[in-house]
Structures are given as structure tokens and as C-alpha cells.
Amino acid sequence: MGDFPLLVTTNLLLTAFTPTDAAYVQLFAGESTLIEMLDNAPWPYPDGAAQRWIATHPDLYQNRQAIYLAIRLRGNGQVIGCVELHDLVPQHRAELGYWIALPWQGQGYASEAVRALVEYAFDALALRRLDATVFTRNIASITLLEKLGMQREGLRPGWGSSRGNPEDVYCYGLTRARWNARTAAAGVPPDTVASRISSP
């Protein structure tokens, strides 16, 4: 698939993770408030797990299985989170995910990053559908997904896991046709001012 995409929004850069980002990921994952909202994330977060996780990204990308992008502040490049497409089926569908470290939550960065990746998924990757799952108690993420136009399609009791405990999850979906219709009707310009730098 070539080099990782670079997505640039008003306040953010979405880029490949680098080995030097591992220290930040390790630090962020040590916050129980963050990790308890991530499905099947290990707790306590093991030393070295961030380096091993980042090391898997190039092969997953080249094999068209997943795309993990660091969310960085555009001003200084500070990594503040992750946005991802996993379980990727080229030109068909993918699962959408994201997280934002605690100091930068509640400032609109998650919405900005996720919107940019949705645009990339539908426009550059020609996906027809995106899916997402969210713990039923994660009101902030539910609000974000619904504002993007994702539709709740079901409930899976005990399907997720947080720190070893079962979690009920809502399933959400968004088709490219629905996304295009909503953005056209709202007259919303693309938030991404620079999208892919290489062909998928």
C-alpha cells in the first residue's frame, strides 16, 4: 500500500506512529480512566507493550489489514491519541476505533480526528461501510459516533471486556452513501486540508 497516509486537519496531524512515540503510549495507557474504556486492553499495561504494538503497524498496513495513525497536535507534533481502521476488508468495510489521552479529552480533538479518518476511508480507500462498537456506559463516544451519522444497529450483552470484566456494547454502522448524503445536505466542507500522500 505504499507509505502511511498523512492527514492534516485544522488542529491535528494524523501520521504513522514512530518508535519514539512508545513512551507516550505507555504513559497514557497507564491511566485507568482511559484504559477501562478500551475493549480488551491489558491492565496493568505491561512494560514494552507499546513498542511491540507500534512494531506491528507496518505489516498490518502493507497487508491491508489495519491502519493505526497517531493523533498529533499540529502546532508541536505532540502525540495525544490514536485513530484506527482495523479488521479491514479492502474496498468493502472496516472497524473504526480511537482514543484520546486524558489531558486532551473534551476539546473536540477526537471528533476532528475521527471525521478525517472517515473521509479518508470513504474517499481514498473506497470503503463502502464503517462499523464501530462502544461500551454502553461510554456516553462521550456514543455522542461522537451519533454526531458523525453512525446508526445504532444493535446491543451485544457481555460482548466486550474491560480490565477482565464483561461489558455490554452497542454496535454502530455507517455506509458511504449515508455519509455522502449527510455531508452534502449539511453543506459541510471536508475537514481534511491534506489527505493521502500515497496511493492505497
Side-chain angles (χ1 to χ4, degrees), residues 32-79:
S32 62
T33 306
L34 171 65
I35 211 77
E36 72 177 6
M37 290 297 184
L38 302 181
D39 191 28
N40 288 310
W43 179 263
Y45 196 73
D47 289 342
Q51 291 94 327
R52 293 189 293 272
W53 177 66
I54 291 172
T56 67
H57 295 179
D59 283 346
L60 290 170
Y61 179 69
Q62 292 300 330
N63 293 328
R64 300 187 177 210
Q65 295 175 291
I67 301 173
Y68 293 90
L69 297 177
I71 303 171
R72 304 180 189 276
L73 296 178
R74 190 170 173 181
N76 59 14
Q78 168 69 49
V79 60

Side-chain angles (χ1 to χ4, degrees), residues 84-101:
E84 66 195 66
L85 299 173
H86 59 270
D87 295 332
L88 179 62
V89 180
Q91 296 187 318
H92 181 198
R93 62 164 300 275
E95 184 94 6
L96 176 70
Y98 77 94
W99 55 265
I100 296 284

